[in-house]
Amino acid sequence: MDVLVLIGRILFVLLFLGSAFNHLSQSKAMAGYVESKGLPSAGNMVLGSGLLMLLGAISVVFGIWADLGALLLLIFLVPTAFLMHAFWKESDPAARQNEMTQFLKDLSLAGAALALLGLFAKAGDDLGLTITGPLFS
C-alpha cells in the first residue's frame, strides 16, 4: 500500500510542479493574466502562489511534513478558484464554460488536498515512504 500512496502522491503533485515552474519562470506573462482578472499586486501574487505550489508539492511528494504540504496546496487552491475562475462573471458562454471547468478543477483538487491532509495526519508515522512524519496530529 505504501507504494500505491507514493504513486498517488507523485501523480497528484505533477500539476502543481508544472504550474509552479510556469509561475516562477514566466512570472511577467502570468502577472498579466492576474491583472486581467482585476487583482492587485499581480507580480507578487504570481511569485507567492508559485512558491506556495512548489513548497506544497515538494512536501507532499517527498513526505516532508506531507500534511503541511497538502495544507499549503489547499490554501492555494480555494482562493484561486474564486478569484481567478469566477465563471459567474463571464457573459460569453465559451468563456463561462472554460472558467467553470477551471473553478471545479480547483475545488476538486482542494478536496483531494484536504483528504490527503487528513490521511497524512491520521496515518502519522505509519504512512511509509516518507522522510518525516506529519506536523499535525
Side-chain angles (χ1 to χ4, degrees), residues 42-56:
N44 291 334
M45 289 184 86
V46 168
L47 292 176
S49 61
L51 288 173
L52 200 60
M53 284 187 287
L54 182 63
L55 292 173

Side-chain angles (χ1 to χ4, degrees), residues 57-68:
I58 287 171
S59 173
V60 168
V61 77
F62 288 110
I64 304 168
W65 290 336
D67 54 342
L68 176 62

Side-chain angles (χ1 to χ4, degrees), residues 5-19:
V5 174
L6 176 61
I7 292 169
R9 290 179 4 226
I10 292 168
L11 293 174
F12 178 69
V13 302
L14 288 176
L15 174 73
F16 299 106
L17 289 174
S19 292

Side-chain angles (χ1 to χ4, degrees), residues 1 8 16-17 27 42 55-56 62-63 67 77-78 88 125 128 132 134 136:
M1 282 301 171
F16 299 106
L17 289 174
S27 57
L55 292 173
F62 288 110
D67 54 342
L77 286 162
V78 173
W88 53 90
D125 291 328
T132 69
F136 308 112

Side-chain angles (χ1 to χ4, degrees), residues 13-44:
V13 302
L14 288 176
L15 174 73
F16 299 106
L17 289 174
S19 292
F21 176 77
N22 288 335
H23 276 67
L24 299 173
S25 67
Q26 302 173 24
S27 57
K28 286 190 180 190
M30 298 290 254
Y33 179 65
V34 172
E35 286 174 355
S36 77
K37 297 293 184 173
L39 298 172
S41 303
N44 291 334

